[in-house]
Amino acid sequence: MSSTQFDGDIDSFVSYLKSNRGLSANTLKAYRADLAACLHLFELRGVTDLNEITLDDLRSWMAMESRDHARSSMARKTVAVRGFFAWAYEHGLTTTDPAATLMTPSIPSTLPAVLTESQAEQLLDVAEHAVATNQYKDDGGAAAAPGSGKAAGKTADKSADTVNRNEAPARADKRDNARVTAESQRNAAILELLYATGIRVAELVSMDIADIDFSNRTIKVTGKGNKQRVVPFGLPAQRALETWLEQGRPVLARTATDAVKSRAANALFLGARGGRIDQRIARDIVHRAAREAGVPDISPHALRHSAATHMLDGGADLREVQEMLGHSSLKTTQRYTHVSIEQLKNRYGQAFPRA
């Protein structure tokens, strides 16, 4: 991110948003980067005072940025710039607000991609099968005693050497099997929880063990703007979580260094090195699981869409789904009703003789 002479103003604006708007850290980071890039461009054009920037300048900036960014990104950038200049005008940094009439690019309304209920079931079944398969391998490795069988019939002096040479690889194989099993248990728990609750991937990776209430089968979720909500989950997700916490998590926790272990002590999900899992790994888990299950390639957000759509198909109230997903606006949740209607139309076309 380029440094500009306007960095102090940008920092003040971001601090204002953080205090008064309750925006998420990711949104604030994106706004900061958008403003820095915009004002850096004007600085390169010789602008030394915010009052020198006009509406035409801002339209010129939008035209240039539009070449390399999607409409959704441009909409966010425009909101950031418009908000910044409104704040600057209100706080006396500028004598006018040049962005007051700057138009936000319209974003085409697209229906979210979702799995069918049978595809979602297939995805979770394959993940569950992977856990069972890896546990079988792990048990088999544990049952094989190093140095047994033919080695027992050798002379005493060679026997000790044989056992010592064989024990290290056997222990390494057992550790590898245990790690693979632990990761498959974690992956199954992640998939079950994402589908059962419809939470965002950022919410998933930030969860702590204490956020789970097994007695009520609910989780406490911290969403955008640090808003908290309580979301229920079902029995399959409970089983997957219990297996992960009791069997898999301790295995991955042992691989962490002391520094990493202390930082991730409360984390619900861990990565291969024992630290808190990050969003990239969680996304990879979902994409890989979709490939292995032979269902359409989906992201964690598409799994969230699927959960919402299947709830509505099952008769859930729109307000209930809004609460579960953490949407501030019912309009956002209403998109899923359109998906349900589209699926209904498709089933109607397939099943009704006079469709």
Side-chain angles (χ1 to χ4, degrees), residues 2 10 34 49 58 81-82 91 106 114 141-142 153 182 197-198 203 214 224 271 278 285-287 289 293 331 340 344:
S2 303
I10 294 173
D34 293 339
D49 190 318
L58 292 173
V81 168
R82 220 168 45 195
H91 288 76
S106 60
V114 297
T197 62
E203 295 168 344
F214 282 110
K224 291 183 177 181
D278 62 34
I285 288 168
V286 176
H287 285 299
K331 183 179 179 181
S340 295
L344 175 61

Side-chain angles (χ1 to χ4, degrees), residues 123-156:
L123 175 73
L124 299 174
D125 283 347
V126 169
E128 186 179 350
H129 177 71
V131 172
T133 302
N134 287 321
Q135 280 179 326
Y136 174 77
K137 289 178 181 177
D138 196 17
D139 290 343
S148 61
K150 292 182 180 179
K154 296 193 175 188
T155 57

Side-chain angles (χ1 to χ4, degrees), residues 152-165:
K154 296 193 175 188
T155 57
D157 58 333
K158 290 185 179 180
S159 177
D161 290 339
T162 302
V163 170
N164 289 336
R165 283 197 301 271

